[in-house]
Amino acid sequence: MKRRTFTAALSGLALLASGTAAFAEDVVLRFSNWLPPTHPIVTDMIEPWAADVAEATEGRVTLQILPALGAPGAHFDLVRNGVADIAFAVHGYTPERFKLTEMVELPFTAENAQVNSIANWRTYQEYFMGADEHEGTHLLGLWVPGSYQLFTRSGVEEIGDLDGLRIRVPGAIVEQIATELGLVSISSPLTEAYDQISRGIIDGMFQTYGTVMDFNMTEHMPVVFTVPGGFAASSQFMVVDEDAWNRISAEDQAAIDALSGEAMVSRFAAVWQEHNATSSEALIEGGLTRHELEGEDLARMEELLAPIQSQWVEAASERGVDAEAAWGFYQEQLDAVAEELGVSRN
């Protein structure tokens, strides 16, 4: 009897050891990268974050950065369907799916990328997380790369010259903005932007200073019109496939979560903020003509674009959230975060 008990105990320990070994198996997350490998998002954000994940999990979780497994706008579905394990993407490329994240794309919010990103993340957690717009994935973070200003080809010198210009738009909110300003919208992903502006297919785009520099579009867009807080912004995010996430041990999930959320949002946005600041200086030194709209011109812009915020509130409320309260909370957080960081929101 004792022998059988001892044998059974040994068998149980063997099964436990076997299960533990299987559970602790190393996980390699396949990251689908649709950006140039030298882009700051890759070199200054994703790769350093991946290195920290590997260190925090003692090598049990690593990222394998692969060439794009699909089009930029397909990357959420690539992750959700398990084609890729993890990816960075832009909400505006699939606007009907991510209605709530359009809040941060509205006009006149904040030019400082870090202020805007942290305020947006806190608002998303407080009001939108329960709506589960990223269903089927684990949301690691969402951030803003700074505000969009309006870059155009040469020869555009005043507000009246904007009428009828062909402008690339990355999503629904920016398209609304372009329409209200009398511009002609041409929808396309960022990867097609250089070809479009260099060939004269478009006359300009709403974009950040950093991206204009990164994609070498300076010579084709030597004019910029600016407003406080920006005309719009881009909401960007990183998700990991739910099944891939569940392959990771609870201990390592906790280690990754510590590097994600507001920590990731603040970290990535700080890179963007610095990059935009240095790019702005370089562009101006290189001859960029900047028209800072103020007075009657700014008031006219604010009047034209005012309906877009109320339209978003109405549409977002249909997702079962208190969009009006979320908008108010977001505005409060923009000021609160700016004070925390000791910077201006614009």
Side-chain angles (χ1 to χ4, degrees), residues 269-311:
V271 173
W272 270 118
Q273 178 59 26
E274 182 179 359
H275 186 49
N276 283 323
T278 56
S279 296
S280 173
E281 292 174 3
L283 288 171
I284 292 171
E285 288 177 3
L288 178 71
T289 300
R290 183 160 62 181
H291 300 288
E292 298 181 14
L293 301 186
E294 53 189 3
E296 291 183 5
D297 286 338
L298 178 58
R300 177 59 176 158
M301 286 285 177
E302 292 172 338
E303 180 184 0
L304 287 171
L305 301 181
I308 296 177
Q309 184 258 325
S310 57
Q311 290 167 11

Side-chain angles (χ1 to χ4, degrees), residues 198-214:
S198 63
R199 292 172 55 198
I201 297 172
I202 58 175
D203 299 308
M205 66 187 75
F206 292 98
Q207 197 50 262
T208 64
Y209 291 97
T211 298
V212 172
M213 285 285 290
D214 294 336

